[in-house]
Amino acid sequence: MTTPATYDEFKRLNMRLDMSRGKPSPEQLDLSRALIDEAGTAGFMSRDGIDCRNYGHVLGLPEAREFGAQLLDVDAAQVVAAGNSSLELMHDALVFAMLHGVSAHVSNHAPWSRQREVAFLCPVPGYDRHFAICEALGIRMIAVPMTQDAPDMDAVEALVKHDASVKGIWCMPLYSNPSGAIWSRTTIERLAAMPTAANDFRLFWDDAYRFHHLTGTRHATPGIIELCEQAGHADRALVFASLSKVTLAGGGVAFLASSRRNVDWWQRHASIRTIGPDKLNQLRHVRYLRDREGLEHLMAKHRALLRPKFDAVVAEFDTLLADVPGVSWNRPEGGYFISLYAPKGHAKRTVALAADAGLVLTPAGAAYPYGRDDEDRHLRIAPSFPSLDEVTLAARGIALSLRRALEDGAALVAE
Amino acid sequence: MTTPATYDEFKRLNMRLDMSRGKPSPEQLDLSRALIDEAGTAGFMSRDGIDCRNYGHVLGLPEAREFGAQLLDVDAAQVVAAGNSSLELMHDALVFAMLHGVSAHVSNHAPWSRQREVAFLCPVPGYDRHFAICEALGIRMIAVPMTQDAPDMDAVEALVKHDASVKGIWCMPLYSNPSGAIWSRTTIERLAAMPTAANDFRLFWDDAYRFHHLTGTRHATPGIIELCEQAGHADRALVFASLSKVTLAGGGVAFLASSRRNVDWWQRHASIRTIGPDKLNQLRHVRYLRDREGLEHLMAKHRALLRPKFDAVVAEFDTLLADVPGVSWNRPEGGYFISLYAPKGHAKRTVALAADAGLVLTPAGAAYPYGRDDEDRHLRIAPSFPSLDEVTLAARGIALSLRRALEDGAALVAE
């Protein structure tokens, strides 16, 4: 493959690549070929004699809940095993809170939608789909800046302390999308313990990348459910996780973990919606992955495929952008994204130039509530899906697009 | 097996049977053994080269949508292929309407939850899970009596004509749960054409038993979507269907069909909730069932298993209840239920006596909004799950429980 040295050379290559989403590559999906090829061997009868072909078990197959509990370091009674998407669980949890209120300990909690206003704290940059749920539900989003490794906790504590309309915060504690941040123990303890004006405040804890390490160090964050319990806020945390980027992105199993009271709350509302999840898929997954060790063994293979791609992107940026003032990027130790910061006012233009060259990136600003990156600096890079050659070229293309955006800007200023 | 002649004899048999829900039997689920045993042969690559293992396609796999279109006699563009449950689709459609309003043609429609009051018409007896959704969402339910073969359309038309808070009606046009009714063309045409005070009125059309015939006659009802369109109400009908009682009750595929504008409306809101359904399960289903003919071939096998059970129940009732004044039951030509009417004030007591004898029935009143059968007459009998021997004995037990309830009542009167 030719190595373009300028944006125009890159453009002439006529690339056709969509890097807008954090999708696993076909090679990663091939790692779980047995889950498809040998699907028949899992059968349909669960360990406990449950016929997984029939209705029922709205909280999930018992062994799938136990598997989730092992992954999330909680009791099986605290886990819901559900369908193919943790996004659905987050959406539905927020919808249930809006329509019915959250689980009540002492007094009843009114439905959020009947309260005057509902606001959520959104550490930025963050996950666009979290923000889309809030926007759709009319929940006001308050951006909170990320410091080096976690949201600015002084800002968070100040916001939740006096304003009862602040009902929750989006959290991605490990390898945050898209900053790759690993939240510190202190941060997490403060989130568990902080006084909130709203007595129905919730941490929406998206543990999407819990096992998605990119280095030999398996980072881990403290158990939020236990910390909340210790701090006297047993029902504060709703933890979400998924096997989408472990086995099959279109057909995994998602988990919700929380206090037993919150699991009861979930059951009360989910059982109006469904007679039960696809237990056959849950059975297949449990029999295929077996246990946490089985999952971690598989994740090491993902890492072997992903790491070179992340390294390649960073290497291209090192080569082409190290000398550009105001440009920076992170070297994530896990997760699915790299954040690239352009000089102020140049992110949108970079994305547009890349698109002109046939390379689709996540829209600039997507990692901010309402799509508004006021500084127009942030770009979310998703290296997972393309081949190593493609992603190397794409990273080069992104760097060249950014340089061209800066040249255009400089030319305008000079005029 | 002993044939009990009295309630006390039945009770001494110590039956342990749950007939409360309309579940397929293991033998019915065995009909689709190949869907599990040979799951691997379906692979993961769709006809169009879509990798079903990855994210995307929020409206479903194209060939699954086409398959649904063939089943429902509409265009594929009018069909959403989703997860394992049509109940979820009905729930979510109502939630979307409450939170966001329905699809707008000319003017915008306000979210139902922001309108003064929302009411739904509920033909009774009806499906308890429909009513549970309404109750959870705070939608006022207005019971409308069923005449011989359809809801009392004079009552329906009168209710929708002047009251703009009436936003919809639950419809099960073919082999209604639990009455087995087959709605007439006239009724369906009136539903499509009737003027409604609410310009965002919707027919929630649960076509659950479209292929679930119990006789040699494959009854069919007119296409509601086309009729609505012809009547100038193109967006009025939301049609729901599912393969749960075709293949696997816990792992089928559900469909939503409607106008293209309603499909767009669905996509707009569903894409906030999910990145896509489990396309692998959709692919397995399409490759296993192939086409409508394949499905109908399979349904004939279901019929062969189900018909004797329904016949046995009716035969027991004929034997034991024909001489009891005020008792009646239907002989359904399809679907999953038999309705048994006790004399006024005796349904609850019959259910309690059956429970005392170890036979769990659907709670009396369940087929009515808020669980209130004011006459306390209706019993929903679900013959599908037990074996033929069991269901024969259970039907006998129900009849004997009913007779005992009447004797107790007569004794009370005599005292």
Side-chain angles (χ1 to χ4, degrees), chain B residues 250-288:
Chain B
V253 175
F255 300 103
L256 163 66
S258 196
S259 66
R260 287 184 188 216
R261 190 160 37 232
N262 281 345
V263 170
D264 289 346
W265 167 82
W266 178 266
Q267 177 165 22
R268 195 157 61 247
H269 301 301
S271 61
I272 300 295
R273 185 179 178 269
T274 182
I275 309 176
D278 182 345
K279 295 184 294 298
L280 289 163
N281 197 38
Q282 297 188 345
L283 187 69
R284 281 193 294 267
H285 270 80
V286 173
R287 295 196 168 163
Y288 168 64

Side-chain angles (χ1 to χ4, degrees), chain A residues 109-181:
Chain A
H109 292 306
W112 288 1
S113 62
R114 294 214 204 116
Q115 301 187 31
R116 200 173 40 85
E117 191 192 49
V118 179
F120 251 60
L121 304 186
C122 302
V124 291
Y127 179 32
D128 53 354
R129 292 191 188 272
H130 291 163
F131 304 157
I133 296 175
C134 280
E135 194 168 356
L137 295 177
I139 294 172
R140 184 167 70 95
M141 290 181 273
I142 304 170
V144 174
M146 291 287 288
T147 62
Q148 183 59 28
D149 275 333
D152 177 341
M153 280 307 299
D154 292 340
V156 168
E157 285 171 349
L159 284 160
V160 300
K161 193 171 184 178
H162 299 294
D163 186 349
S165 78
V166 178
K167 296 294 188 194
I169 179 171
W170 287 109
C171 303
M172 296 193 74
L174 188 61
Y175 313 134
S176 299
N177 172 355
S179 68

Side-chain angles (χ1 to χ4, degrees), chain B residues 31-302:
Chain B
L31 296 175
S32 292
R33 271 301 286 264
L35 187 57
I36 294 177
D37 293 348
E38 297 156 31
T41 62
F44 55 82
M45 201 56 86
S46 86
R47 176 198 65 195
D48 311 313
I50 295 166
D51 187 337
C52 295
R53 302 171 302 181
N54 221 324
Y55 290 117
H57 295 271
V58 74
L59 296 181
L61 191 65
E63 53 249 69
R65 297 176 70 191
E66 286 168 29
F67 179 61
Q70 205 184 109
L71 299 184
L72 299 170
D73 282 323
V74 292
D75 290 341
Q78 296 178 279
V79 175
V80 180
N84 74 325
S85 146
S86 55
L87 185 69
E88 293 179 1
L89 299 180
M90 295 183 243
H91 174 275
D92 290 356
L94 258 178
V95 164
F96 293 158
M98 290 296 281
L99 292 171
H100 313 299
V102 298
S103 70
H105 177 28
V106 182
S107 59
N108 272 332
H109 291 307
W112 286 1
S113 61
R114 293 214 205 116
Q115 301 187 29
R116 200 174 39 86
E117 190 191 50
V118 179
F120 251 62
L121 303 186
C122 302
V124 291
Y127 179 31
D128 53 353
R129 292 191 189 273
H130 291 163
F131 303 157
I133 296 174
C134 281
E135 193 168 356
L137 295 176
I139 294 171
R140 184 167 70 95
M141 290 181 272
I142 303 171
V144 175
M146 291 287 288
T147 61
Q148 183 58 29
D149 276 332
D152 177 341
M153 281 305 299
D154 292 341
V156 168
E157 286 172 349
L159 284 160
V160 300
K161 193 169 184 179
H162 299 294
D163 185 350
S165 77
V166 178
K167 295 296 187 193
I169 178 171
W170 288 108
C171 304
M172 297 194 73
L174 188 61
Y175 313 134
S176 299
N177 173 354
S179 68
I182 302 168
W183 295 17
S184 66
R185 170 171 282 276
T186 314
T187 300
I188 293 174
E189 285 174 349
R190 285 172 78 177
L191 286 164
M194 64 188 181
T196 61
N199 63 358
D200 50 359
F201 183 89
R202 292 290 180 267
L203 304 170
F204 272 65
W205 202 261
D206 186 356
D207 216 349
Y209 303 120
R210 191 176 175 90
F211 300 102
H212 302 65
H213 317 290
L214 287 170
T215 76
T217 307
R218 291 182 188 169
H219 290 283
T221 50
I224 186 66
I225 296 172
E226 198 179 346
L227 285 175
C228 285
E229 199 183 323
Q230 286 165 5
H233 304 130
D235 302 328
R236 180 173 282 186
L238 294 163
V239 175
F240 304 94
S242 156
L243 301 178
S244 289
K245 292 190 182 81
V246 173
T247 56
L248 307 164
V253 175
F255 300 103
L256 163 66
S258 196
S259 66
R260 287 184 188 216
R261 190 160 37 232
N262 281 345
V263 170
D264 289 346
W265 167 82
W266 178 266
Q267 177 165 22
R268 195 157 61 247
H269 301 301
S271 61
I272 300 295
R273 185 179 178 269
T274 182
I275 309 176
D278 182 345
K279 295 184 294 298
L280 289 163
N281 197 38
Q282 297 188 345
L283 187 69
R284 281 193 294 267
H285 270 80
V286 173
R287 295 196 168 163
Y288 168 64
L289 291 171
R290 287 196 307 279
D291 52 22
R292 184 164 169 160
E293 201 183 337
L295 179 139
E296 282 176 347
H297 183 68
L298 176 57
M299 292 315 292
K301 296 184 192 167
H302 280 283

Side-chain angles (χ1 to χ4, degrees), chain A residues 78 105 202 224-237 258-262:
Chain A
Q78 296 179 279
H105 177 28
R202 291 290 179 267
I224 187 63
I225 295 172
E226 197 179 347
L227 286 175
C228 284
E229 198 183 323
Q230 286 164 4
H233 304 130
D235 302 328
R236 179 173 285 186
S258 195
S259 66
R260 288 184 186 213
R261 190 160 36 234
N262 281 345

